[in-house]
Amino acid sequence: MSGFLWNAAAFIVALGILVAIHEFGHFWVARRCGVKVERFSIGFGRALWRKFGKDGTEYVIAAIPLGGYVKMLDERIEAVPEADKPLAFNNQPLWQRSAIVAAGPVANFIFAVFAYWLIMMIGVPAVKPVIGEIAPNSIAAEAGIEPGMELTQVSGVETADWQAVNFALIGHIGDESMTLTAKPAPTSSYDRDYQLDLGRWQFNPEKQSPLTTLGITPYRPAITLSIAQVVEGSAAEQAGLKQGDKIIAVGDTELSSWQRLVEVIKASPNQGLSLMVMREGQRESVVLTPDARQVDGKVTGYAGIAPQLEAWPESYRFTQQYGPLAAIPEAVQKTGQVISMTVNMIKKLITGDVGVNNLSGPISIAKGAGMTAEIGLISFLGFMALISVNLGIINLLPLPVLDGGHLLFFGIEAVTRRPVSERVQDFGYRIGAAVLMMVMAVALFNDFARL
């Protein structure tokens, strides 16, 4: 229950900020164009808070935090006094009306740049994308990629860390081929291109990593037999195991790897295991009785311990951090990459190269908001930047109920030199609303299917 509340709170905060920024874009440009704004609302439904500004605008926070709107004076909606007609939206020049409508998505893109700028300024600890293993007969193996190589680019996009690699790979879902650029080793001064045939690439974003489906396993420091963490209230804590203990044997059998210990624990739910541990230079005997847990229909043992890893090589570690000015082009470039990937994915959804099961709705977004907020500010900012870009692009789709639909009508008006008729606009709104509801229904179905 606490997890649900945390996700809901993070979702409301994230969506509230992003909607406010989107609607503020419309509001700010409308005011600059001399249009009278009657209401600025974050959310729909019953007003939880309202205030009237000196400018006559009613500012509202409403009960349903799934959107918002800016209500402008408009003769098409209600009668307007003769004195106020110059302030009505519909009486403004075409370029001003277009600017007001486009300002919402543009504000979302600007926020994404700002969020990435903050991230670049704060700095992100990262590791170089060095390959640990390549699965035999995999797509990567057939392309000639080998363990120990460092991936430097994915189809021309620079990849400083594994997050950048994953992000770039996802953009190639549905493609026939892809180019990976790699150094033979992190210390090498040259690299070369490898062409990957994606014809048999099967990738489920909800359950699989794009790396593992290509046959690539990132390098990780070796796992030791020492305990890094003991979960509070777990079977390990009840047995007396402590952080820093080194488990050297189970019964009379010496352990050769942590993985072997995991296998023994999983196979022994509710069964006592005699462990030999090394603690502060002394051998001690501990009896561990793993808890029983249901995993994929099978009962397995669970101890509640995590292992220590050997230190990362210093040459693999770095911090992505820039000064205030240097961070600006980096943030713009990152936002551009996200926009490009999002547009590409929408195009693939339309053409059928990517299945509609990849669509996500508010439940998935809430889970993502809660998870990233729990990790920390950097992750939450990155998540908000990603959703902000998606919000901006979706609003630019040429559906009449969205900003892009209004811009489509304005484009027709620019060509024909007369506004689109009310009848055509009304028909378009009905079609647009039906398409949007259908997409939302599919996204919600996917959300529930993932629970």
Side-chain angles (χ1 to χ4, degrees):
M1 185 64 180
S2 60
F4 169 79
L5 293 175
W6 175 261
N7 290 346
F11 173 72
I12 290 171
V13 169
L15 195 62
I17 292 172
L18 297 180
V19 168
I21 288 166
H22 180 93
E23 299 303 335
F24 181 77
H26 294 309
F27 172 81
W28 189 84
V29 175
R31 293 288 300 276
R32 294 301 176 277
C33 291
V35 174
K36 182 178 180 181
V37 178
E38 296 183 312
R39 182 179 297 124
F40 182 105
S41 178
I42 305 302
F44 300 108
R46 186 172 64 88
L48 301 177
W49 175 89
R50 58 160 45 94
K51 179 182 179 181
F52 286 90
K54 295 179 181 179
D55 53 6
T57 301
E58 180 188 14
Y59 298 91
V60 175
I61 296 177
I64 305 173
L66 295 178
Y69 62 93
V70 173
K71 183 184 178 185
M72 291 171 269
L73 194 66
D74 195 321
E75 288 183 292
R76 298 169 301 174
I77 299 174
E78 58 190 357
V80 176
E82 192 67 32
D84 288 342
K85 285 186 177 182
L87 305 178
F89 173 81
N90 64 291
N91 290 327
Q92 305 309 308
L94 179 60
W95 73 268
Q96 288 190 344
R97 283 180 279 142
S98 300
I100 292 168
V101 171
V106 170
N108 284 124
F109 299 144
I110 292 173
F111 173 78
V113 172
F114 173 72
Y116 284 127
W117 177 75
L118 280 179
I119 291 171
M120 305 291 183
M121 287 268 292
I122 295 170
V124 183
V127 293
K128 294 180 180 178
V130 179
I131 298 171
E133 297 177 12
I134 295 292
N137 303 315
S138 64
I139 295 173
E142 292 176 354
I145 295 173
E146 300 176 353
M149 290 182 172
E150 179 190 347
L151 300 178
T152 57
Q153 293 183 10
V154 175
S155 297
V157 178
E158 292 187 2
T159 52
D161 58 7
W162 282 116
Q163 183 185 45
V165 172
N166 276 297
F167 194 82
L169 292 180
I170 290 172
H172 283 283
I173 297 174
D175 289 349
E176 295 181 358
S177 64
M178 172 175 59
T179 302
L180 294 185
T181 305
K183 294 180 180 179
T187 54
S188 301
S189 58
Y190 67 94
D191 52 28
R192 58 163 289 192
D193 293 340
Y194 297 85
Q195 197 73 18
L196 276 67
D197 182 0
L198 303 181
R200 62 185 179 91
W201 189 26
Q202 299 294 323
F203 171 45
N204 183 347
E206 291 299 318
K207 298 180 179 179
Q208 298 171 302
S209 159
L211 285 166
T212 55
T213 53
L214 291 172
I216 300 173
T217 300
Y219 166 83
R220 290 185 179 87
I223 300 174
T224 71
L225 290 170
S226 297
I227 297 174
Q229 181 184 10
V230 178
V231 176
E232 186 177 351
S234 65
E237 186 183 56
Q238 293 171 13
L241 288 172
K242 299 178 180 180
Q243 182 180 352
D245 286 352
K246 182 179 181 181
I247 304 174
I248 57 178
V250 178
D252 297 327
T253 305
E254 287 193 11
L255 287 173
S256 58
S257 68
W258 185 270
Q259 183 58 37
R260 177 55 187 156
L261 174 63
V262 171
E263 292 170 358
V264 172
I265 290 173
K266 285 186 173 181
S268 309
N270 296 325
Q271 298 177 34
L273 298 174
S274 179
L275 306 181
M276 182 62 67
V277 304
M278 186 70 73
R279 180 179 296 165
E280 297 178 354
Q282 301 293 323
R283 288 175 176 253
E284 294 192 21
S285 181
V286 173
V287 176
L288 170 68
T289 304
D291 295 328
R293 286 194 172 185
Q294 196 86 10
V295 179
D296 295 330
K298 294 177 62 178
V299 178
T300 63
Y302 172 77
I305 51 176
Q308 290 181 2
L309 303 178
E310 290 184 357
W312 283 90
E314 284 301 319
S315 60
Y316 289 17
R317 301 172 59 185
F318 68 102
T319 299
Q320 285 184 305
Q321 189 172 26
Y322 302 86
L325 295 180
I328 295 174
E330 295 293 330
V332 171
Q333 182 183 41
K334 179 68 175 177
T335 304
Q337 290 174 358
V338 177
I339 291 173
S340 176
M341 186 199 75
T342 305
V343 170
N344 194 30
M345 290 298 290
I346 290 175
K347 182 177 70 175
K348 290 176 181 178
L349 279 168
I350 295 171
T351 59
D353 291 328
V354 173
V356 294
N357 61 311
N358 292 294
L359 286 172
S360 294
I363 296 175
S364 293
I365 295 173
K367 289 170 68 176
M371 183 177 66
T372 54
E374 193 169 3
I375 293 172
L377 176 62
I378 295 294
S379 295
F380 192 56
L381 280 173
F383 173 81
M384 288 183 62
L386 177 64
I387 298 301
S388 189
V389 167
N390 277 263
L391 186 62
I393 290 175
I394 289 171
N395 268 282
L396 287 175
L397 293 177
L399 293 175
V401 290
L402 301 174
D403 295 332
H406 292 289
L407 293 174
L408 175 63
F409 288 147
F410 292 158
I412 295 172
E413 181 180 341
V415 173
T416 63
R417 301 300 178 91
R418 67 174 184 269
V420 177
S421 69
E422 293 291 333
R423 182 182 176 187
V424 172
Q425 289 191 45
D426 183 63
F427 180 74
Y429 291 140
R430 293 174 187 272
I431 297 296
V435 172
L436 200 61
M437 290 297 291
M438 184 172 62
V439 171
M440 282 299 299
V442 172
L444 277 170
F445 176 82
N446 291 340
D447 280 357
F448 285 115
R450 294 172 186 137
L451 292 177

